[in-house]
Each structure stands twice: as C-alpha cells, then as structure tokens.
Amino acid sequence: MILVTGGTGYIGSHIAVELLAAGHSVVLLDNLANSVASVVPRIEKITGRAAAFYQGDVRDAALLASIFEQHPIDAVIHCAGLKAVGESVTQPLAYYDTNVHGSIVLCQAMAKAGIKRLIFSSSATVYGVEAIPPYVETMGRGSCTSPYGTSKAMVEQVLEDLCASDPEWSVAILRYFNPIGAHPSGLIGESPQGVPNNLMPYISQVAAGVLPELRVYGNDYPTQDGTCVRDYLHVVDLAVGHRVALKALETPGASHYNLGTGQGVSVKQMIDAFTQATQVPVAFRYAPRRDGDLAAFWASVEKAQQELGWQATKTLDDMMTDTWRWQQHASA
C-alpha cells in the first residue's frame, strides 16, 4: 500500500491512477490548497478502484501517525508542496515551511512508523543557473533562482543526509522537467487557481476564451525563435515514472533520476503545436523577459532508461490533444 501526499493535485492524481491501475492499494493525503476533493471519485471512475482519502496537511504529525497506524503503508510518494516559482519569491517563508519543514515532519513520522521507502517529487530547477543542458544527474546542485527551487534542493540534501545516517532508508529523488497534458479520459488535469503560472493551462484557457491572450515572456533569447526552450513531458508518462521508480526503493540509499523527454521545445513551437493539434488559434503577444527565466534546458534521460526501464512515450500532439480535451471538460 502506498501513501501519496498531495494526492488530489495535478501530478498526485495521475500517479494515483497509474498505481491503482497497476494493482497497488493507495492512500491519498491532501490539504486541498491547490486541488478539490471531487478528484477522488474521478480517480475511482477512471480505474474502477477506490483510494482512501484524508484531507489534511503533511505537516500534521498526529494525522500522519494515524494514517500509518490504520494502513499497512509500504512506501510514500511525496508530492505535497507549494510549486509556483513567482509566488515563492514573494512568500519564501510559506515555501520553506510547507516544502522543507513538511518533508521533515513526514520523514520523522515515517521513521516512527518504521516506513523508510520514499519517492520525492523534485525539480530540474535544482541544477541551477550554472548548469549547461542537457542536465545530467551527476551534475551538482547549483544556484537556484527562486525559493521554490531552493526548497527542493534543500529537501534533496535532507534526504541524502538521512540515507547516509541510516542504511535502512531508500529514497528515489525524481527531478521533473515540465509536466503538461492530462489524462486521456478528460476527467483529471491541471486546474490552476487564478491566472496560470504554467504555459500549457495558459494556452488552453486562452483557446477556450477564459483568458484574452497569452503573454510570451521574451522573444530575444539565444534560441531558434527567440523564445524560451523547455523539456515538456506528458503527465501520464511522469506518473508511470513514479510507478517504475518503486523498484529503485529495493536498493538502500538515495538515487536521482531525471524525468523528461530529452528534447527541448520552444514556447512558440508549443503555441504552434497546440493550434495544429486542435485547429484552435491562440492569441498571444510578446512581453519583456521575466526575472529568473533561463533561456533553455532539457534533460539527459539515459539513467532512467537504463536503471528503471522508463522513457517518455507520449508525443507532443498527445500532450496538446489531451490538454484541450481536459480544458473543454473543465469549462463545461
């Protein structure tokens, strides 16, 4: 049985679907700060299997102890946390409290319950501004451009130190690149509050008429068309990556894996791909660069392929089509 923290969120819900479909029993914990409880029955509708759900915070040690007492948890997939880069700059204490302190409380509760197998949702931002793409797991952590990135790097260090102190711990640190898309059913997807921070929901909301236009921050980067380049992967592929990473927990210690496609795609190419896949135009205009945005980065994916047998299989067209199906369902 697996506990997924942040289990009703965008990524957590897709992980839950993947785990349930593969035959695992799942417990979800979420404080609903960035999600809704109605995701739980949708997960059951997709898989035909129910997950136990607890509304609560990962910083609530008593609740964690209760969950571990009531359920035979074998491993934890830790997705709970705050994730908006821009917001982290204005609210750093909230990010360090939720992301860093929350992870420590979780690990303390796990240790007390004798559960020492953890998959942690990290980020490509930990490579920092110094890294040259493609990012390889053997690169050291660099200078992060936001408290969000720093919080992920800090938790990575905590987990590495924990594994070094106690050989019973097994931790897989998964560094996400840019997850997009939605489940093909159209029942679960990304539901940002207010104006989206991420590109794909911004594009789809403009296409649906929810927002008037997309602002593309910067068209003067040293890239093919002047817009930023990122490694976008389908959220379903990302979810599969968590399921197969469970095998890494059979080996003690901390291991690190990039989850990406290994291909960079520019913001302008993303807009064009969406229009081509959906036949729906997207109004956009160029705006000045945002502080902290890097020109281009993408993943080296060889380690995940070799050690986990994982690679992204969904195409850019799949990402666009599934995003649009979800947007139409969400807007209905």
Side-chain angles (χ1 to χ4, degrees):
M1 180 171 280
I2 300 167
L3 171 65
V4 182
T5 72
T8 59
Y10 174 45
I11 292 168
S13 61
H14 285 84
I15 293 171
V17 165
E18 179 63 27
L19 293 173
L20 288 165
H24 294 281
S25 297
V26 176
V27 177
L28 307 176
L29 171 66
D30 205 298
N31 65 5
L32 304 182
N34 289 304
S35 61
V36 292
S38 60
V39 168
V40 178
R42 291 183 218 158
I43 291 171
E44 183 174 358
K45 185 174 182 180
I46 293 169
T47 63
R49 299 185 64 215
F53 170 62
Y54 292 84
Q55 182 178 347
D57 198 286
V58 74
R59 294 166 292 184
D60 186 341
L63 175 58
L64 290 171
S66 175
I67 291 172
F68 292 141
E69 189 175 309
Q70 294 179 62
H71 301 277
I73 304 294
D74 303 309
V76 176
I77 297 178
H78 180 32
C79 298
L82 300 176
K83 63 176 186 175
V85 171
E87 181 183 69
S88 76
V89 176
T90 61
Q91 300 180 37
L93 293 181
Y95 274 70
Y96 292 124
D97 185 32
T98 300
N99 295 1
V100 182
H101 177 234
S103 298
I104 293 171
V105 172
L106 173 64
C107 288
Q108 289 171 332
M110 290 175 63
K112 285 182 180 178
I115 302 161
K116 297 184 177 181
R117 289 155 41 95
L118 175 70
I119 294 175
F120 174 58
S121 300
S122 192
S123 165
T125 58
V126 303
Y127 288 106
V129 297
E130 304 89 349
I132 299 173
Y135 293 174
V136 183
E137 290 90 344
T138 51
M139 293 176 172
R141 286 184 288 269
S143 304
C144 299
T145 58
S146 71
Y148 164 75
T150 303
S151 74
K152 291 294 186 180
M154 291 171 72
V155 176
E156 285 197 7
Q157 186 67 60
V158 168
L159 296 174
E160 290 163 12
D161 292 344
L162 181 58
C163 289
S165 73
D166 183 348
E168 292 184 357
W169 276 90
S170 299
V171 176
I173 294 169
L174 306 185
R175 292 169 173 167
Y176 302 174
F177 279 69
N178 292 73
I180 63 171
H183 193 270
S185 65
L187 290 174
I188 57 173
E190 190 169 9
S191 298
Q193 297 178 348
V195 177
N197 290 296
N198 296 331
L199 177 64
M200 206 61 237
Y202 209 140
I203 287 176
S204 63
Q205 288 190 21
V206 170
V210 177
L211 296 172
E213 65 179 3
L214 169 69
R215 282 185 291 179
V216 177
Y217 296 103
N219 63 341
D220 57 351
Y221 286 98
T223 59
Q224 183 177 356
D225 56 29
T227 63
C228 289
V229 170
R230 297 290 183 265
D231 187 337
Y232 297 95
L233 77 155
H234 200 295
V235 67
V236 171
D237 280 331
L238 182 72
V240 173
H242 289 73
R243 176 177 58 78
V244 301
L246 289 169
K247 74 169 69 172
L249 302 184
E250 297 168 7
T251 304
S255 52
H256 308 74
Y257 298 97
N258 289 336
L259 294 186
T261 65
Q263 302 291 324
V265 182
S266 76
V267 173
K268 182 62 168 61
Q269 289 172 324
M270 292 288 286
I271 297 169
D272 293 342
F274 181 87
T275 297
Q276 182 174 347
T278 65
Q279 300 302 304
V280 179
V282 178
F284 73 93
R285 65 180 173 87
Y286 293 113
R289 294 184 184 189
R290 289 185 301 193
D291 290 340
D293 275 348
L294 301 179
F297 62 82
W298 58 92
S300 166
V301 294
E302 283 74 17
K303 186 179 182 184
Q305 291 175 355
Q306 293 169 3
E307 296 187 13
L308 302 178
W310 176 89
Q311 63 180 16
T313 61
K314 300 279 191 178
T315 66
L316 194 58
D317 189 74
D318 293 332
M319 300 178 208
M320 300 302 165
T321 303
D322 291 340
T323 295
W324 186 231
R325 185 184 299 110
W326 160 247
Q327 178 65 54
Q328 291 175 301
H329 183 276
S331 300

